[in-house]
Amino acid sequence: MTSTRKRKSSAADVDWGSEARTLGKEGKDSREGKIDRKWDEDKDHQVDAKVPPIKKYLLYALSFLLGFAVIWLWPLTHQASERANDAALLTLRTHFTPVSPDAFDDFIDREESRSSLHGILTWKTASVAWSWIHPHAFAALLPAEGIDAKPGHVWRLIPDTSREFMYSNKYVPPPPSGSVEELLYSLLSLFHPQPFLVSRYGPRGAAAVLRARTFDSLDIIFRLHAEYQLNTPPRRPLWFTPAAFMGRLVINVTDYSVQHFVMDVPTQQKLNVDLEWLIGPNEDEDMEVTITHLEQMQLSAEGLSDPGSLMWSQEITYEKAHDLLQKEFYRYKQVEYHNFTKAFFKGVKEHRPVHTLILWGVLEDQSC
């Protein structure tokens, strides 16, 4: 009797299909790796199903064109940005009329003076006819209080150092320090390359007064006492000292845009410039001096609107502003002077003594 025993099927006898055979050939692949590949293939298939091939090509083309456009247009936009910055610059124009040689008729025949006067006799034009400056540079002239300052407020731009002695035998001006000095030095250099922001004799320095204001703009009047050294070695020093530089600045404190700027040497007085030159080594004994009239020395910004169109919410008169600056530079201006008749009646009315002062001349600022 023959018994039939069913043989247990082994793993080798089970047909797992083509996948099992592939796994068998690869040998080392894990089942988890196979599942991951299947998931990636399914994702690719889904993406392919959503984006037809022709649309993919269009997307590639658009991406390429966009990148090319950015590369091609960037220089143009950069140049436009530079032009916009250039458009924001102010153009400064110098106006200069040299001193007439007739002012030196009494000195020109002397050889020592003729050599020292070389700097003024050859100074026919401003060193720079025109220049550019960014309006933000003028923010250095603003008061510390900004828009909160009131008309009549006076502040110092360059301190008074009148008590410090300065020698005349020098040629090279000290370098400017700080934004105020850098601005004023650059402005003065447009006339001549050797300006001295601090003059040898008083009054010295610079001060400003707020004349008027709106909700965002200030009208500033400023005064600067500076001078120039016109000679270079081996010629002896020649000093050119204007009575003063007077300036007016109208500026918006929100964006620092400048609406008006002008700076000049006042010309309404008959004498407005002093010249001193050495004819020998001794400063006390070998100094020649003359005072004469300078017709024009002005610096102005071009292409600006008329500040007269601004409606000031608060203001003082120009005369009052100039008077406040004179009092800042001259102590005697801080005293109220009257003629004898007016002083006598005022003293009687107020029961105060009258002090009499005799002068050879007038108590008047000859520069303005």
Side-chain angles (χ1 to χ4, degrees):
M1 184 175 204
T2 303
S3 62
T4 60
R5 181 183 296 176
K6 291 186 178 181
R7 184 168 58 92
K8 292 183 179 181
S9 61
S10 63
D13 297 332
V14 178
D15 187 3
W16 294 94
S18 57
E19 292 183 5
R21 287 193 293 270
T22 303
L23 288 173
K25 291 179 181 179
E26 294 174 350
K28 295 182 180 181
D29 286 353
S30 65
R31 189 174 180 86
E32 290 78 9
K34 178 60 179 178
I35 294 173
D36 291 340
R37 283 195 299 274
K38 287 289 291 180
W39 173 256
D40 293 338
E41 290 174 2
D42 291 341
K43 282 203 307 181
D44 293 340
H45 180 70
Q46 292 173 3
V47 172
D48 292 341
K50 290 182 179 179
V51 183
I54 185 149
K55 290 187 177 181
K56 290 176 62 177
Y57 296 142
L58 287 175
L59 289 175
Y60 293 151
L62 288 174
S63 300
F64 174 79
L65 291 175
L66 181 60
F68 180 78
V70 170
I71 295 173
W72 183 76
L73 291 174
W74 184 86
L76 298 180
T77 57
H78 182 67
Q79 293 173 7
S81 176
E82 289 184 342
R83 285 195 296 269
N85 290 334
D86 291 343
L89 297 178
L90 288 180
T91 300
L92 298 179
R93 185 76 61 177
T94 53
H95 309 274
F96 177 75
T97 302
V99 174
S100 173
D102 298 342
F104 312 107
D105 286 345
D106 296 338
F107 310 96
I108 202 69
D109 291 336
R110 300 173 58 184
E111 182 179 352
E112 298 89 346
S113 286
R114 187 165 58 251
S115 174
S116 297
L117 288 172
H118 177 269
I120 187 66
L121 295 176
T122 57
W123 188 20
K124 301 297 184 181
T125 60
S127 59
V128 179
W130 61 271
S131 181
W132 284 327
I133 188 171
H134 200 286
H136 288 192
F138 288 98
L141 302 183
L142 290 173
E145 295 80 1
I147 196 62
D148 294 328
K150 304 297 183 183
H153 172 61
V154 178
W155 67 98
R156 271 279 173 174
L157 298 172
I158 298 178
D160 180 15
T161 57
S162 298
R163 294 183 180 181
E164 299 178 11
F165 179 77
M166 294 178 61
Y167 290 95
S168 296
N169 195 9
K170 55 184 177 181
Y171 299 90
V172 181
S177 175
S179 57
V180 173
E181 290 191 7
E182 289 173 357
L183 171 64
L184 296 178
Y185 186 91
S186 65
L187 296 178
L188 293 177
S189 297
L190 299 179
F191 295 110
H192 191 279
Q194 293 175 229
F196 281 71
L197 286 176
V198 178
S199 55
R200 292 163 300 143
Y201 309 110
R204 289 178 181 169
V209 59
L210 181 61
R211 194 201 70 82
R213 55 171 287 186
T214 66
F215 70 95
D216 64 353
S217 296
L218 300 179
D219 186 359
I220 297 170
I221 307 295
F222 65 93
R223 178 171 180 152
L224 166 66
H225 286 267
E227 57 187 351
Y228 291 88
Q229 173 54 247
L230 303 186
N231 279 346
T232 56
R235 291 185 171 84
R236 298 188 185 278
L238 165 61
W239 293 95
F240 178 90
T241 310
F245 287 93
M246 299 298 301
R248 183 190 179 195
L249 171 69
V250 179
I251 185 171
N252 186 299
V253 298
T254 302
D255 58 5
Y256 300 130
S257 60
V258 173
Q259 295 150 297
H260 178 79
F261 174 75
V262 65
M263 185 181 78
D264 62 3
V265 175
T267 58
Q268 61 267 35
Q269 300 293 347
K270 184 177 180 180
L271 304 174
N272 63 353
V273 63
D274 174 270
L275 290 112
E276 300 180 4
W277 60 95
L278 288 172
I279 57 174
N282 193 318
E283 182 175 332
D284 296 328
E285 300 178 1
D286 299 326
M287 182 74 79
E288 296 282 1
V289 180
T290 189
I291 304 176
T292 186
H293 181 73
L294 178 67
E295 286 189 22
Q296 187 181 42
M297 192 172 186
Q298 184 185 78
L299 181 64
S300 59
E302 294 187 342
L304 300 180
S305 59
D306 182 11
S309 60
L310 291 175
M311 299 297 294
W312 303 108
S313 58
Q314 295 177 311
E315 63 179 315
I316 60 174
T317 64
Y318 291 99
E319 293 76 12
K320 179 64 175 178
H322 286 289
D323 183 63
L324 289 172
L325 285 177
Q326 289 177 8
K327 290 179 178 179
E328 174 66 25
F329 284 97
Y330 302 102
R331 290 189 176 181
Y332 73 84
K333 281 285 188 177
Q334 299 174 9
V335 178
E336 187 179 5
Y337 293 90
H338 307 281
N339 61 36
F340 178 79
T341 303
K342 186 176 180 180
F344 176 79
F345 286 106
K346 186 176 179 65
V348 172
K349 182 179 179 180
E350 298 180 4
H351 304 286
R352 300 173 63 183
V354 176
H355 298 272
T356 302
L357 181 65
I358 300 176
L359 299 174
W360 294 105
V362 293
L363 280 173
E364 182 177 329
D365 184 0
Q366 296 298 314
S367 65
C368 300

